[in-house]
Amino acid sequence: MSAIVRAKALRRLFDVSKPWLNRVVEREPKAFLTAVADVDFEIEEGSVYALVGESGSGKSTIGKMVVGLTGPTDGTIEIDGIVITGNDQKAKIAEARTKLQMIFQDPYASLNPRWKVRDIIAEPAKLRGLEIKGLPERLLQKVGLSPEDADKYPHEFSGGQRQRICIARALSSEPKVIVCDEPTSALDVSVQSQVLNLMSDLQEQLGLTYLFISHDLTVVEHMADKIGVLYLGALVEEAPKETLFASPLHPYTRMLFDAAPKLDAFGREVDVPKGEIPDPINPPAGCSFHPRCPLATSKCKKTRPQMRLIGNTRVACHHV
Amino acid sequence: MVQPVLSIKSLVVEIPTRKGVLRPVDRVSYDIFPGEILGIVGESGAGKSMTGNAVIGLLERPAHIVSGDILLSGNPIHNLSASEFRKIRGKKIGMIFQDPLTSLNPLLTVGEQLVETIIEHLAVSKKQAQERAIAALEEVGIPAARERIGSYPHQFSGGMRQRVVIALALCAEPDLVIADEPTTALDVSVQAQIIALLKRLCRERGVGVMLVTHDMGVIAEAADRVAVMYAGRLAELGAVRDVLSDPKHPYTYGLMGSTPLASRGLKRLNQIPGSMPRLGALPEGCAFSPRCEFAQEVCKTGSSPFIANVDAQAACWFPLPHTKSRSSK
């Protein structure tokens, strides 16, 4: 199998400087927030790759860069072997980008309330110049709604149904890769399971590839084939699902696993994680996890660990 | 027997609308004892927050209490006037809301907000109030509390802000704390810290806590007892271990089964078909009957089961386990 998405040394900075005049008066340099720092990953065709991390870890920014909603500061993204982040071969890039689609977190904000469901679903196909007659009805059936729903407006649906409409819309341009940014975080548990099942079914039927972004470890464990753990913009560990959950190597991954609530841990006294995510504008030197890390030594404070391969796992830590 | 801090008896909240009267809370009864965390779970629209708002007298018009009693340490509070309620709120009942940024005043320093609350409810001088405020911040684990007391809410991180909110809820030494989704806006690692803090304070001070959340995992770790709500009614009530590991109500059973954790290793997650009915279109009989795989004739036509009249932990005519089909499914 070949990689359909390949990200190389992906980096994204955001300019968080004060206005020009203030900088001059206060003699401050420009300030940058490093949202994504040198992230490499590959997604096999037909697989589910998950990015997990807490808020501010850069997972959504990576998702946006993959679909082209924002460009990387440095590094490249390839889709099917075509670099889509450059400027040359515009026609080829446009062609490659038709293979991408996205599903967003909040189904209340991502559907235009003034459009009928039919138009919402048909739009991506229309833009690609595909035949749209009967398409919305067909897709609605595919995602478990009825064809008659095509003439309704988004407000007539519940959250779970809206997310199904979002999925139908994503499918209409016949993409190969779908970036799912927290697709079930806004949904209730019982609805979440319905939507996740639908997504697995569709993936199997249509041979889709998902880049699945979530903060919920249980959801990720269910959906993903391979998982990348992000901390403060950097990939700290990446492994196939079974390996990661059986033997997490990076101390941050272990801390995340310990902190996640468990259904059978009645009255469990958690080993409370130390500290919080540091300020991304002034991240700690060396390994950015060292202030919270139980294994940290002086080396961690100075040098940033490189990704190493241990068995099936790629991990960025000096001490595992 | 210990007197419960909070005792809700057959509470009914109604909202009159043009299309008819809705009942977001329907004959709900439960007690919370000192030093106990009672978890209230349910999906959105199940009536969990509405029950909490009724207890603190913050129901928004036109929602109102129609019948039932709310007793705080034995005294009825459901019929108090707005000004009488102001004396209780903050003093006897502390509140923690989901979003710490909106429940703190951005224009006042953290210290000013704490001191204001303490002076309002306790007979202490300003200086003593200041000392108490610092002690309260230290107790919730804010480092360098003496220096940070002059900071504004925006200068704290999300987790620290929620700690401030907890300090604020506890500073007047209330008997009851209502925590409405206190960790939903936080990251897992911070969530673990906040839950541990809540548990410790509840135990040390003997405060009763009503923990409203949609997250079963949080309930499992924090709560002593749990009340599961569905469509405004109590579906199941009992010790957390019993309810979560051996649910009697098919809804609880389905809810537990549909979490990815419970379906670990399965290719597909278990799911409950359909979704919760709207309050305006509740089915006859048991509200869960249209989605229930075990529903019988009586569930769909008979009177709806309530915990009081079913004499069990679950409001169900046929509490589980009553068939062998459960495990084979």
Side-chain angles (χ1 to χ4, degrees):
Chain A
M1 283 219 289
S2 64
I4 188 163
V5 178
R6 188 174 283 139
K8 279 187 196 153
L10 210 52
R11 193 174 185 82
R12 174 74 171 134
L13 304 180
F14 287 106
D15 190 342
V16 290
S17 314
K18 286 182 181 168
W20 174 80
L21 193 60
N22 293 45
R23 282 207 317 273
V24 171
V25 174
E26 294 162 21
R27 304 194 175 208
E28 276 183 21
K30 280 197 148 196
F32 291 98
L33 183 156
T34 311
V36 177
D38 301 316
V39 168
D40 292 274
F41 63 87
E42 289 182 0
I43 307 177
E44 300 279 314
E45 185 159 7
S47 73
V48 179
Y49 186 93
L51 287 173
V52 273
E54 299 181 278
S55 45
S57 60
K59 48 193 194 310
S60 291
T61 309
I62 293 177
K64 283 183 186 161
M65 287 194 286
V66 170
V67 290
L69 285 175
T70 177
T73 313
D74 243 323
T76 56
I77 295 169
E78 284 174 30
I79 304 294
D80 252 356
I82 294 161
V83 179
I84 60 159
T85 45
N87 265 326
D88 31 331
Q89 301 174 304
K90 284 232 159 78
K92 261 188 157 176
I93 292 176
E95 164 69 24
R97 285 180 57 174
T98 59
K99 292 172 187 155
L100 296 165
Q101 266 299 344
M102 189 156 182
I103 300 169
F104 298 92
Q105 172 170 5
D106 186 355
Y108 291 85
S110 57
L111 296 172
N112 187 333
R114 291 168 180 259
W115 281 26
K116 283 188 176 166
V117 167
R118 176 194 308 285
D119 302 323
I120 291 173
I121 295 178
E123 200 197 15
K126 221 187 220 160
L127 290 174
R128 267 195 77 181
L130 301 176
E131 170 66 39
I132 57 166
K133 199 160 177 294
L135 179 72
E137 286 81 0
R138 235 179 18 252
L139 285 171
L140 280 172
Q141 251 174 335
K142 197 164 227 155
V143 298
L145 296 171
S146 86
E148 289 87 64
D149 290 332
D151 287 314
K152 292 184 184 165
Y153 288 93
H155 73 89
E156 297 173 66
F157 297 90
S158 69
Q161 289 171 323
R162 282 175 203 227
Q163 204 56 297
R164 288 173 192 264
I165 296 171
C166 292
I167 293 172
R169 172 177 63 184
L171 293 177
S172 89
S173 64
E174 297 171 9
K176 284 179 147 182
V177 180
I178 300 183
V179 175
C180 320
D181 190 354
E182 304 265 12
T184 58
S185 309
L187 306 176
D188 281 318
V189 214
S190 74
V191 181
Q192 165 174 290
S193 59
Q194 295 170 0
V195 171
L196 290 178
N197 280 342
L198 172 68
M199 291 179 67
S200 316
D201 292 347
L202 291 171
Q203 194 225 350
E204 209 157 278
Q205 283 169 26
L206 307 172
L208 294 168
T209 307
Y210 289 147
L211 172 57
F212 197 95
I213 296 166
S214 180
H215 69 281
D216 189 333
L217 287 167
T218 59
V219 171
V220 164
E221 183 181 9
H222 179 73
M223 292 295 287
D225 298 313
K226 202 171 195 185
I227 298 168
V229 183
L230 288 165
Y231 185 73
L232 221 63
L235 210 51
V236 294
E237 183 164 2
E238 183 200 62
K241 172 177 74 182
E242 292 77 15
T243 320
L244 188 77
F245 278 89
S247 57
L249 293 179
H250 199 281
Y252 175 66
T253 317
R254 290 192 200 157
M255 190 204 83
L256 261 191
F257 284 4
D258 284 342
K262 296 177 185 53
L263 281 175
D264 49 0
F266 303 112
R268 179 175 71 124
E269 297 300 328
V270 198
D271 237 354
V272 176
K274 277 197 295 179
E276 292 178 28
I277 295 190
D279 180 6
I281 300 169
N282 295 307
C287 171
S288 50
F289 187 61
H290 83 253
R292 307 171 73 185
C293 182
L295 306 177
T297 57
S298 58
K299 187 181 181 192
C300 304
K301 291 176 187 155
K302 287 189 209 112
T303 39
R304 194 187 166 115
Q306 295 299 312
M307 274 287 197
R308 292 186 289 154
L309 198 64
I310 300 178
N312 276 334
T313 309
R314 284 202 300 150
V315 60
C317 180
H318 294 305
H319 297 294
V320 291
Chain B
M1 200 178 131
V2 193
Q3 186 185 37
V5 185
L6 178 76
S7 178
I8 298 179
K9 287 182 181 142
S10 200
L11 181 72
V12 179
V13 173
E14 285 187 349
I15 307 176
T17 68
R18 238 182 293 175
K19 286 181 185 162
V21 177
L22 307 181
R23 272 194 175 188
V25 180
D26 194 0
R27 285 164 280 179
V28 168
S29 313
Y30 52 76
D31 296 329
I32 300 178
F33 293 93
E36 176 189 58
I37 300 183
L38 176 72
I40 315 272
V41 263
E43 298 177 272
S44 34
K48 3 182 243 305
S49 293
M50 201 63 114
T51 320
N53 287 349
V55 171
I56 49 179
L58 287 180
L59 282 180
E60 268 177 58
R61 295 200 137 269
H64 61 282
I65 297 174
V66 178
S67 62
D69 297 308
I70 305 174
L71 306 176
L72 187 68
S73 307
N75 307 310
I77 56 165
H78 53 276
N79 44 16
L80 293 183
S81 68
S83 61
E84 286 171 314
F85 230 120
R86 278 187 64 99
K87 288 183 193 138
I88 293 181
R89 219 181 282 136
K91 168 80 189 97
K92 295 268 174 69
I93 309 177
M95 286 159 287
I96 302 166
F97 294 108
Q98 175 171 353
D99 185 357
L101 196 53
T102 51
S103 48
L104 291 170
N105 187 337
L107 299 177
L108 296 179
T109 63
V110 164
E112 285 167 338
Q113 301 186 42
L114 280 163
V115 168
E116 182 190 7
T117 314
I118 293 169
I119 290 184
E120 175 74 30
H121 295 296
L122 303 175
V124 291
S125 71
K126 185 142 193 217
K127 207 158 174 229
Q128 288 169 316
Q130 184 85 13
E131 286 306 313
R132 267 179 179 260
I134 292 168
L137 288 179
E138 271 167 0
E139 190 168 8
V140 295
I142 290 185
R146 200 168 286 275
E147 287 82 58
R148 302 220 64 180
I149 196 158
S151 308
Y152 289 90
H154 75 265
Q155 294 170 304
F156 289 86
S157 68
M160 284 297 155
R161 248 180 247 143
Q162 196 63 296
R163 286 170 193 262
V164 172
V165 173
I166 293 175
L168 207 51
L170 291 171
C171 66
E173 296 173 353
D175 305 323
L176 175 71
V177 169
I178 297 178
D180 194 347
E181 305 267 9
T183 59
T184 310
L186 306 174
D187 282 318
V188 243
S189 62
V190 181
Q191 167 173 292
Q193 297 169 353
I194 297 291
I195 290 176
L197 174 68
L198 261 181
K199 274 163 76 174
R200 177 169 66 82
L201 292 176
C202 163
R203 208 174 302 149
E204 282 175 5
R205 298 187 166 205
V207 182
V209 177
M210 182 198 281
L211 176 66
V212 177
T213 179
H214 67 279
D215 190 330
M216 283 294 199
V218 170
I219 290 289
E221 263 170 35
D224 301 303
R225 285 191 305 138
V226 59
V228 183
M229 290 190 72
Y230 185 79
R233 301 165 187 180
L234 271 188
E236 187 157 1
L237 176 69
V240 74
R241 190 180 295 267
D242 300 342
V243 173
L244 264 54
S245 53
D246 186 21
K248 298 277 185 288
H249 196 288
Y251 174 63
T252 323
Y253 173 64
L255 204 57
M256 292 302 298
S258 57
T259 54
L261 222 50
S263 312
R264 184 176 265 167
L266 298 181
K267 190 135 174 40
R268 289 173 60 87
L269 297 169
N270 297 315
Q271 59 182 50
I272 313 177
S275 56
M276 194 158 68
R278 269 173 299 169
L279 288 174
L282 280 186
E284 252 187 82
C286 172
F288 186 62
S289 61
R291 301 172 72 187
C292 180
E293 53 184 315
F294 308 111
Q296 314 253 343
E297 208 45 39
V298 57
C299 304
K300 289 173 180 156
T301 53
S303 62
S304 54
F306 280 90
I307 288 185
N309 61 23
V310 177
D311 189 32
Q313 72 173 26
C316 179
W317 295 123
F318 305 101
L320 297 168
H322 47 75
T323 53
K324 287 275 173 265
S325 68
R326 279 182 78 190
S327 46
S328 63
K329 272 178 61 70

